[in-house]
Amino acid sequence: MAGEDHPDVTLSDPALVAVDVVAWACFHASTGYLVHRLPARRFDHDSLLTRARGVEADGVLYVRALRIKRWKRRLPEAGALFRGGFDKRHLTGGSNDDLAMFARETRRAELGHWLAAACAPLFFVWNPWPVGVVMVGYAVVANGPCIAAQRYNRLRLLRILRLRKNPPIPGA
């Protein structure tokens, strides 16, 4: 009957886990597709989100504090998941244009991971609050290392491009 209150739908724990898994898969795929569809020129330069921070110390933070070289190769790479995508597992060329293109794609990937992580609060809508907190933790654990790897790689690429543009003067 119109206007009648409907009882809350309660899912079993296995059903709720299935809903959460499917939701994360949808969030990751849709944010990845969204950034894939954005024009490349939007990623030619750093934004407020992707610009280097002083604490990163030109990548030293990632090497010393996070020991990124030990684990970054184990991260999944889905850059080429969509047609026309960019696989960031290997640098395919060494020209300045190749390095700039790779840096651009690290910005795209970083934004995709930030957007996916930003979906975490939505899990509080259908989950009990302790599970929502776990989902926020998952967002950090699943996306944080990927964001760190993109930032680390981009800092390295930009340092190489800077050195090529302004090589150090011997003996100076």
Side-chain angles (χ1 to χ4, degrees), residues 86 90-105 157 161 164:
F86 186 87
H90 303 287
L91 184 59
T92 56
S95 73
N96 287 355
D97 287 344
D98 292 331
L99 298 182
M101 181 173 57
F102 200 108
R104 179 185 71 215
E105 294 304 319
L157 293 164
L161 288 169
R164 286 182 177 179

mmCIF file of all heavy atoms in Angstrom, residues 86 90-105 157 161 164:
data_model
loop_
_atom_site.group_PDB
_atom_site.id
_atom_site.type_symbol
_atom_site.label_atom_id
_atom_site.label_comp_id
_atom_site.label_asym_id
_atom_site.label_seq_id
_atom_site.Cartn_x
_atom_site.Cartn_y
_atom_site.Cartn_z
ATOM 1 N N PHE A 86 47.133 2.092 -21.203
ATOM 2 C CA PHE A 86 48.584 2.177 -21.128
ATOM 3 C C PHE A 86 49.089 1.258 -20.028
ATOM 4 O O PHE A 86 48.740 1.434 -18.860
ATOM 5 C CB PHE A 86 48.976 3.638 -20.836
ATOM 6 C CG PHE A 86 50.447 3.904 -20.882
ATOM 7 C CD1 PHE A 86 51.074 4.216 -22.078
ATOM 8 C CD2 PHE A 86 51.213 3.864 -19.721
ATOM 9 C CE1 PHE A 86 52.437 4.482 -22.121
ATOM 10 C CE2 PHE A 86 52.569 4.122 -19.756
ATOM 11 C CZ PHE A 86 53.181 4.436 -20.957
ATOM 12 N N HIS A 90 56.197 -1.622 -17.660
ATOM 13 C CA HIS A 90 57.526 -1.452 -18.249
ATOM 14 C C HIS A 90 57.580 -0.164 -19.056
ATOM 15 O O HIS A 90 56.632 0.163 -19.766
ATOM 16 C CB HIS A 90 57.871 -2.628 -19.172
ATOM 17 C CG HIS A 90 57.812 -3.953 -18.496
ATOM 18 N ND1 HIS A 90 58.753 -4.372 -17.596
ATOM 19 C CD2 HIS A 90 56.901 -4.951 -18.573
ATOM 20 C CE1 HIS A 90 58.426 -5.569 -17.157
ATOM 21 N NE2 HIS A 90 57.300 -5.939 -17.727
ATOM 22 N N LEU A 91 58.683 0.500 -18.975
ATOM 23 C CA LEU A 91 58.940 1.677 -19.802
ATOM 24 C C LEU A 91 59.356 1.170 -21.175
ATOM 25 O O LEU A 91 60.310 0.404 -21.300
ATOM 26 C CB LEU A 91 60.053 2.513 -19.164
ATOM 27 C CG LEU A 91 60.408 3.821 -19.818
ATOM 28 C CD1 LEU A 91 59.201 4.755 -19.870
ATOM 29 C CD2 LEU A 91 61.537 4.491 -19.045
ATOM 30 N N THR A 92 58.615 1.565 -22.212
ATOM 31 C CA THR A 92 58.866 1.002 -23.541
ATOM 32 C C THR A 92 59.849 1.811 -24.369
ATOM 33 O O THR A 92 60.353 1.319 -25.370
ATOM 34 C CB THR A 92 57.552 0.861 -24.331
ATOM 35 O OG1 THR A 92 56.931 2.139 -24.393
ATOM 36 C CG2 THR A 92 56.630 -0.138 -23.659
ATOM 37 N N GLY A 93 60.123 3.035 -23.982
ATOM 38 C CA GLY A 93 61.067 3.858 -24.729
ATOM 39 C C GLY A 93 61.751 4.827 -23.788
ATOM 40 O O GLY A 93 61.278 5.070 -22.676
ATOM 41 N N GLY A 94 62.842 5.395 -24.255
ATOM 42 C CA GLY A 94 63.604 6.283 -23.401
ATOM 43 C C GLY A 94 63.634 7.736 -23.844
ATOM 44 O O GLY A 94 64.336 8.543 -23.243
ATOM 45 N N SER A 95 62.856 8.070 -24.866
ATOM 46 C CA SER A 95 62.856 9.460 -25.323
ATOM 47 C C SER A 95 62.134 10.340 -24.306
ATOM 48 O O SER A 95 61.379 9.853 -23.458
ATOM 49 C CB SER A 95 62.164 9.582 -26.684
ATOM 50 O OG SER A 95 60.767 9.418 -26.530
ATOM 51 N N ASN A 96 62.358 11.632 -24.407
ATOM 52 C CA ASN A 96 61.662 12.567 -23.522
ATOM 53 C C ASN A 96 60.154 12.439 -23.673
ATOM 54 O O ASN A 96 59.415 12.521 -22.689
ATOM 55 C CB ASN A 96 62.105 14.005 -23.797
ATOM 56 C CG ASN A 96 63.506 14.274 -23.278
ATOM 57 O OD1 ASN A 96 64.124 13.426 -22.631
ATOM 58 N ND2 ASN A 96 64.009 15.448 -23.564
ATOM 59 N N ASP A 97 59.687 12.238 -24.905
ATOM 60 C CA ASP A 97 58.249 12.070 -25.134
ATOM 61 C C ASP A 97 57.723 10.803 -24.452
ATOM 62 O O ASP A 97 56.634 10.810 -23.883
ATOM 63 C CB ASP A 97 57.929 12.024 -26.633
ATOM 64 C CG ASP A 97 58.052 13.378 -27.302
ATOM 65 O OD1 ASP A 97 58.077 14.415 -26.586
ATOM 66 O OD2 ASP A 97 58.127 13.406 -28.544
ATOM 67 N N ASP A 98 58.496 9.724 -24.513
ATOM 68 C CA ASP A 98 58.098 8.478 -23.849
ATOM 69 C C ASP A 98 58.007 8.671 -22.337
ATOM 70 O O ASP A 98 57.054 8.220 -21.697
ATOM 71 C CB ASP A 98 59.083 7.349 -24.146
ATOM 72 C CG ASP A 98 59.070 6.901 -25.588
ATOM 73 O OD1 ASP A 98 58.010 7.011 -26.241
ATOM 74 O OD2 ASP A 98 60.131 6.450 -26.074
ATOM 75 N N LEU A 99 58.992 9.355 -21.767
ATOM 76 C CA LEU A 99 58.994 9.587 -20.326
ATOM 77 C C LEU A 99 57.833 10.490 -19.917
ATOM 78 O O LEU A 99 57.173 10.251 -18.901
ATOM 79 C CB LEU A 99 60.323 10.201 -19.882
ATOM 80 C CG LEU A 99 61.579 9.357 -20.116
ATOM 81 C CD1 LEU A 99 62.810 10.078 -19.582
ATOM 82 C CD2 LEU A 99 61.455 7.979 -19.503
ATOM 83 N N ALA A 100 57.579 11.534 -20.709
ATOM 84 C CA ALA A 100 56.473 12.451 -20.413
ATOM 85 C C ALA A 100 55.131 11.717 -20.516
ATOM 86 O O ALA A 100 54.222 11.947 -19.704
ATOM 87 C CB ALA A 100 56.510 13.650 -21.350
ATOM 88 N N MET A 101 54.987 10.826 -21.515
ATOM 89 C CA MET A 101 53.750 10.068 -21.659
ATOM 90 C C MET A 101 53.559 9.130 -20.467
ATOM 91 O O MET A 101 52.462 9.011 -19.929
ATOM 92 C CB MET A 101 53.743 9.261 -22.961
ATOM 93 C CG MET A 101 52.465 8.479 -23.152
ATOM 94 S SD MET A 101 52.303 7.658 -24.749
ATOM 95 C CE MET A 101 53.751 6.633 -24.800
ATOM 96 N N PHE A 102 54.618 8.494 -20.038
ATOM 97 C CA PHE A 102 54.529 7.600 -18.887
ATOM 98 C C PHE A 102 54.134 8.397 -17.641
ATOM 99 O O PHE A 102 53.275 7.966 -16.864
ATOM 100 C CB PHE A 102 55.873 6.885 -18.675
ATOM 101 C CG PHE A 102 55.774 5.641 -17.856
ATOM 102 C CD1 PHE A 102 55.916 4.392 -18.440
ATOM 103 C CD2 PHE A 102 55.568 5.697 -16.489
ATOM 104 C CE1 PHE A 102 55.846 3.227 -17.684
ATOM 105 C CE2 PHE A 102 55.497 4.548 -15.722
ATOM 106 C CZ PHE A 102 55.627 3.317 -16.321
ATOM 107 N N ALA A 103 54.745 9.563 -17.448
ATOM 108 C CA ALA A 103 54.404 10.411 -16.299
ATOM 109 C C ALA A 103 52.933 10.808 -16.360
ATOM 110 O O ALA A 103 52.230 10.806 -15.340
ATOM 111 C CB ALA A 103 55.299 11.646 -16.263
ATOM 112 N N ARG A 104 52.460 11.132 -17.553
ATOM 113 C CA ARG A 104 51.049 11.492 -17.730
ATOM 114 C C ARG A 104 50.153 10.338 -17.281
ATOM 115 O O ARG A 104 49.164 10.537 -16.579
ATOM 116 C CB ARG A 104 50.777 11.824 -19.198
ATOM 117 C CG ARG A 104 49.317 12.191 -19.469
ATOM 118 C CD ARG A 104 49.046 12.393 -20.935
ATOM 119 N NE ARG A 104 49.086 11.097 -21.604
ATOM 120 C CZ ARG A 104 49.544 10.905 -22.843
ATOM 121 N NH1 ARG A 104 50.012 11.913 -23.565
ATOM 122 N NH2 ARG A 104 49.538 9.709 -23.368
ATOM 123 N N GLU A 105 50.503 9.125 -17.670
ATOM 124 C CA GLU A 105 49.670 7.980 -17.330
ATOM 125 C C GLU A 105 49.739 7.626 -15.847
ATOM 126 O O GLU A 105 48.795 7.051 -15.303
ATOM 127 C CB GLU A 105 50.026 6.784 -18.208
ATOM 128 C CG GLU A 105 49.695 7.011 -19.673
ATOM 129 C CD GLU A 105 48.226 7.385 -19.917
ATOM 130 O OE1 GLU A 105 47.338 6.775 -19.271
ATOM 131 O OE2 GLU A 105 47.963 8.271 -20.748
ATOM 132 N N LEU A 157 60.617 9.835 -13.081
ATOM 133 C CA LEU A 157 60.552 10.258 -14.483
ATOM 134 C C LEU A 157 60.761 11.763 -14.624
ATOM 135 O O LEU A 157 61.509 12.213 -15.504
ATOM 136 C CB LEU A 157 59.194 9.874 -15.082
ATOM 137 C CG LEU A 157 58.932 8.379 -15.221
ATOM 138 C CD1 LEU A 157 57.456 8.116 -15.453
ATOM 139 C CD2 LEU A 157 59.785 7.798 -16.336
ATOM 140 N N LEU A 161 63.684 13.886 -16.644
ATOM 141 C CA LEU A 161 63.363 14.927 -17.632
ATOM 142 C C LEU A 161 63.997 16.269 -17.257
ATOM 143 O O LEU A 161 64.503 16.985 -18.125
ATOM 144 C CB LEU A 161 61.848 15.065 -17.790
ATOM 145 C CG LEU A 161 61.167 13.914 -18.525
ATOM 146 C CD1 LEU A 161 59.653 14.004 -18.397
ATOM 147 C CD2 LEU A 161 61.595 13.886 -19.991
ATOM 148 N N ARG A 164 67.710 16.087 -18.005
ATOM 149 C CA ARG A 164 67.974 16.176 -19.447
ATOM 150 C C ARG A 164 67.818 17.605 -19.960
ATOM 151 O O ARG A 164 68.538 18.017 -20.867
ATOM 152 C CB ARG A 164 67.024 15.256 -20.212
ATOM 153 C CG ARG A 164 67.386 13.797 -20.077
ATOM 154 C CD ARG A 164 66.442 12.951 -20.880
ATOM 155 N NE ARG A 164 66.810 11.551 -20.819
ATOM 156 C CZ ARG A 164 66.141 10.586 -21.423
ATOM 157 N NH1 ARG A 164 65.075 10.873 -22.157
ATOM 158 N NH2 ARG A 164 66.529 9.338 -21.312
#
